[in-house]
Amino acid sequence: VDGGTLKEWSRAGRIQSLAQILEIMIKAAMGLQTAHNCGVIHQDVKSANILLTQDGTPKITDFGISGFKSWDATPVKEVSTEEPIGRLDTTALVTSHGMTPAYGSPEQVNNQKVGRGTDIWSLGIVLFELFVGQVTWRLGFQVPGILDQYVENPTGLTLPRSVYNVISKCLELEPDDR
């Protein structure tokens, strides 16, 4: 893909309007839905894993840690370890324990079963990141509180209430509510 990553576009100021954000993110969500419909849970959705063509068409990449689900939606692969994640030894933007901490869902952090809701959580964080312009948090579960603070005092693009509602829905604590 010849355009670079969504992260690069965002950091370079190439994402400049609500219309552009929505077009990219709706197409990315459709791509993620296609993966889910094929039984694939990505588990590491982040702006660095969304490549863009020169015209801005997103392509979700890096399915290296993705898990497959059977057609009856029974998890086949879980993110789990013998002990809790505890203190993070990596930066928030590097994949660790099957996720990138800054985008990780509560179920990933707690070593629980992952599913569609896991990827929806992370995609919601990517959407928020495009308004902020960068990741300013260390852990994904911090984002709901940061989102509310941002609405009160935006430091990047203004976040419309309708988009705030979408992001909030993506960041529901219960995966089935996302």
Side-chain angles (χ1 to χ4, degrees):
V1 178
D2 59 359
T5 69
L6 183 57
K7 177 181 177 179
E8 292 167 345
W9 278 44
S10 179
R11 301 309 181 273
R14 293 182 68 184
I15 309 290
Q16 298 183 354
S17 70
L18 175 62
Q20 185 182 22
I21 290 171
L22 295 179
E23 182 175 349
I24 290 170
M25 292 306 294
I26 288 168
K27 289 177 180 177
M30 291 169 64
L32 198 56
Q33 181 181 10
T34 298
H36 290 169
N37 290 344
C38 291
V40 177
I41 306 301
H42 190 286
Q43 299 182 56
D44 198 24
V45 175
K46 58 186 176 183
S47 58
N49 284 344
I50 300 174
L51 299 181
L52 298 169
T53 62
Q54 286 292 329
D55 69 355
T57 301
K59 308 290 183 181
I60 297 178
T61 63
D62 195 1
F63 284 83
I65 63 170
S66 63
F68 293 87
K69 296 180 75 171
S70 65
W71 294 110
D72 67 358
T74 304
V76 172
K77 178 181 177 187
E78 298 177 23
V79 175
S80 63
T81 60
E82 294 294 317
E83 44 194 67
I85 292 173
R87 200 179 82 112
L88 296 171
D89 298 326
T90 63
T91 67
L93 303 177
V94 177
T95 302
S96 173
H97 302 308
M99 68 170 170
T100 301
Y103 300 85
S105 67
E107 58 272 18
Q108 286 176 297
V109 171
N110 292 316
N111 299 312
Q112 297 169 337
K113 292 179 182 178
V114 300
R116 293 174 190 237
T118 302
D119 289 345
I120 292 169
W121 175 281
S122 300
L123 196 65
I125 290 178
V126 172
L127 176 56
F128 179 55
E129 176 186 357
L130 294 179
F131 285 89
V132 177
Q134 62 183 334
V135 173
T136 60
W137 51 89
R138 182 157 171 75
L139 301 170
F141 67 79
Q142 297 170 316
V143 175
I146 294 168
L147 172 64
D148 289 334
Q149 293 172 5
Y150 186 85
V151 169
E152 297 298 319
N153 188 26
T155 56
L157 294 173
T158 301
L159 184 66
R161 177 53 88 178
S162 58
V163 176
Y164 168 86
N165 292 341
V166 169
I167 296 170
S168 292
K169 187 70 174 168
C170 291
L171 301 179
E172 288 283 344
L173 187 58
E174 290 298 321
D176 291 342
D177 294 340
R178 297 179 197 145

